[in-house]
Amino acid sequence: MATIRDIARLTGYSVSTISRVINEHPYVDERKRAEILAVMKELDYIPNANARTLSYGETKNLGVILPYTNHPYFDQLISGITEAAFDSNYKVTLLPTNYQASREKEYLEEFAAKRFDGLIVTSRAHSLEKLKAYQKYGPIIFCEEIKDEKSSCVFIDREQSITEALKFLQKAGVKKLGVTLGRSSRLSFNSKITLQLCRKVYSNFEEEMVFWDCIGLEDGIKAGAFFNEHPVDGIFTNSDMVAAGILKTFPKGRAPKLVGRDNLYVSDLLNFPTIDHHLKQCGEMAFHLFLKRQPEQIKIPYEFIQR
C-alpha cells in the first residue's frame, strides 16, 4: 500500500508539500499540485481520514440524535438537516436511541472524543443539564425551546398550535375528546404539553381516553380499535399516519372528527385537518445554527390547515 513518503520519493517534492495537497491547502503551486495528484491516482493512494481530521481539527461530520428513523416527524427534520448539510459538504450521521439513556450517553461520549463536529438533538432521553455539560466539546443544537442564552435551539410553538387544534375540535362540536400520543414509559415535552392543554381546553378530559405508544399507521389501527370500544366524538392525533390508521377502522362517514399533525399527503387525500409545523425548515435552521457557532433561539411558525 502506497504511503505519503512513496509519493514524495516519486515526485521529488517534500512530505510537507504532499501533505498540503492531500489536505487541500490553497497555497500550493498548481503545477506541483497536478503532478502530485497524478501520482496519487497512479498509485491508487487513499488519504487516511483520521490523519486529515487531525490536520483540520474537524471531521466535517454532524451527528443527529433522534429516537427512531421510521416516523414522519423525524423524517421531515432529517430531510431539512441533510439537505442543508450536503450543501455545505458535511456528512450527517444518524444516531437513533429508541429513548435509551445508555445509548444516548454512548453518542455523547463519541462527540466528546471528536467523532462529530457538532450534534443536533431532535429529542432526548437525558435531562437538559446532562446534555448541556457536553457543550464544551462543540456546538449542540436543540430542537426544542431552551430558555438559556448560552444554548442554541430551533423550536416550534407547540402550545399555540395544539391550543388552536383543540379549540377547532371544540368549535366543531366535539364534547368527548380522545388523544393519541407517543412513548408512555417517559413523558416527552410534547406529551406533557398536550395533556396539559387538553385539560385546559376540555374540563371533562379523561386521561383514560389517551391511547399511548402511537408511531405509525399500524399503531393508528390499534388506536382505532380502542376508540371503537371507547367511543369519543373527536380525536387529536400525534401524526397524520396515526390518524389515517384510525380512519381505516371506522365505517365511512362514522369516524370521529380528527386532527392530524405533520401535513403529510395522506391528510389531503383523506381530507382531515392537520398541523404543519414546517419541520423541514426547522431542520435546515438547526444546521445553520450549527454553522453559526453562536447561541441563538429561533421559533419556527406553524400553520393549522382546516379541512
Side-chain angles (χ1 to χ4, degrees):
M1 183 181 294
T3 68
I4 192 171
R5 294 189 181 280
D6 294 328
I7 298 169
R9 176 174 54 79
L10 291 171
T11 60
Y13 298 121
S14 67
V15 169
S16 61
T17 299
I18 308 301
S19 178
R20 285 198 295 274
V21 171
I22 290 172
N23 291 305
E24 301 176 359
H25 284 246
Y27 304 115
V28 178
D29 180 81
E30 288 305 315
R31 181 179 59 82
K32 293 180 181 179
R33 188 188 302 277
E35 291 179 14
I36 291 168
L37 290 174
V39 172
M40 287 171 58
K41 183 177 181 180
E42 182 181 341
L43 295 177
D44 196 23
Y45 175 78
I46 300 175
N48 184 295
N50 290 331
R52 294 187 69 179
T53 294
L54 290 171
S55 174
Y56 276 109
E58 60 179 18
T59 65
K60 301 293 284 187
N61 188 11
L62 176 68
V64 178
I65 291 178
L66 71 168
Y68 20 66
T69 58
N70 60 342
H71 191 286
Y73 176 92
F74 298 104
D75 284 348
Q76 292 181 73
L77 275 177
I78 293 166
S79 176
I81 293 168
T82 54
E83 286 187 20
F86 292 164
D87 286 344
S88 296
N89 295 316
Y90 270 85
K91 294 183 293 183
V92 173
T93 300
L94 302 183
L95 308 172
T97 65
N98 199 29
Y99 287 118
Q100 294 177 9
S102 59
R103 180 61 57 86
E104 187 173 275
K105 180 69 159 50
E106 290 175 11
Y107 296 144
L108 291 169
E109 291 301 318
E110 290 179 11
F111 174 53
K114 304 298 183 185
R115 182 177 174 186
F116 315 109
D117 295 336
L119 289 177
I120 293 177
V121 180
T122 67
S123 192
R124 55 189 170 81
H126 284 96
S127 69
L128 276 174
E129 294 309 312
K130 180 75 173 179
L131 271 72
K132 285 181 183 179
Y134 285 82
Q135 289 177 323
K136 61 188 175 185
Y137 299 110
I140 299 178
I141 313 301
F142 296 95
C143 292
E144 63 178 285
E145 185 175 8
I146 308 294
K147 296 178 180 178
D148 174 0
E149 293 182 356
K150 295 181 180 179
S151 298
S152 287
C153 67
V154 180
F155 62 97
I156 56 184
D157 193 343
R158 292 184 189 276
E159 184 170 355
Q160 187 172 344
S161 66
I162 292 171
T163 298
E164 184 173 348
L166 292 174
K167 288 189 173 180
F168 168 83
L169 288 170
Q170 194 175 58
K171 189 175 180 180
V174 172
K175 303 295 184 184
K176 188 170 184 180
L177 181 70
V179 176
T180 66
L181 289 171
R183 54 183 168 142
S184 58
S185 58
R186 179 178 177 272
L187 285 181
S188 66
F189 173 76
N190 172 56
S191 295
K192 288 178 181 177
I193 193 68
T194 300
L195 292 175
Q196 175 187 328
L197 293 171
C198 285
R199 297 187 198 102
K200 182 178 180 181
V201 176
Y202 281 87
S203 58
N204 65 338
F205 176 67
E206 302 172 359
E207 285 196 31
E208 290 76 10
M209 291 297 101
V210 177
F211 190 84
W212 291 94
D213 299 313
C214 275
I215 304 299
L217 181 68
E218 294 301 318
D219 300 317
I221 293 172
K222 295 175 184 176
F226 172 82
F227 288 118
N228 270 282
E229 293 180 4
H230 303 81
V232 294
D233 50 1
I235 306 173
F236 180 53
T237 72
N238 58 325
S239 162
D240 286 347
M241 292 305 294
V242 168
I246 292 172
L247 287 174
K248 186 177 176 64
T249 69
F250 282 88
K252 189 173 182 180
R254 299 279 301 278
K257 185 71 175 178
L258 293 173
V259 172
R261 292 193 232 185
D262 308 325
N263 191 26
L264 301 180
Y265 178 67
V266 69
S267 66
D268 188 20
L269 185 66
L270 297 179
N271 196 38
F272 59 81
T274 187
I275 305 172
D276 189 342
H277 283 122
H278 301 295
L279 296 171
K280 185 175 180 181
Q281 180 186 351
C282 188
E284 292 171 352
M285 190 56 64
F287 177 77
H288 290 307
L289 281 184
F290 156 70
L291 283 184
K292 196 172 183 179
R293 302 294 210 277
Q294 292 180 352
E296 188 175 350
Q297 292 81 37
I298 297 175
K299 180 168 69 174
I300 302 295
Y302 74 92
E303 179 183 4
F304 181 60
I305 301 170
Q306 297 188 26
R307 295 190 176 100

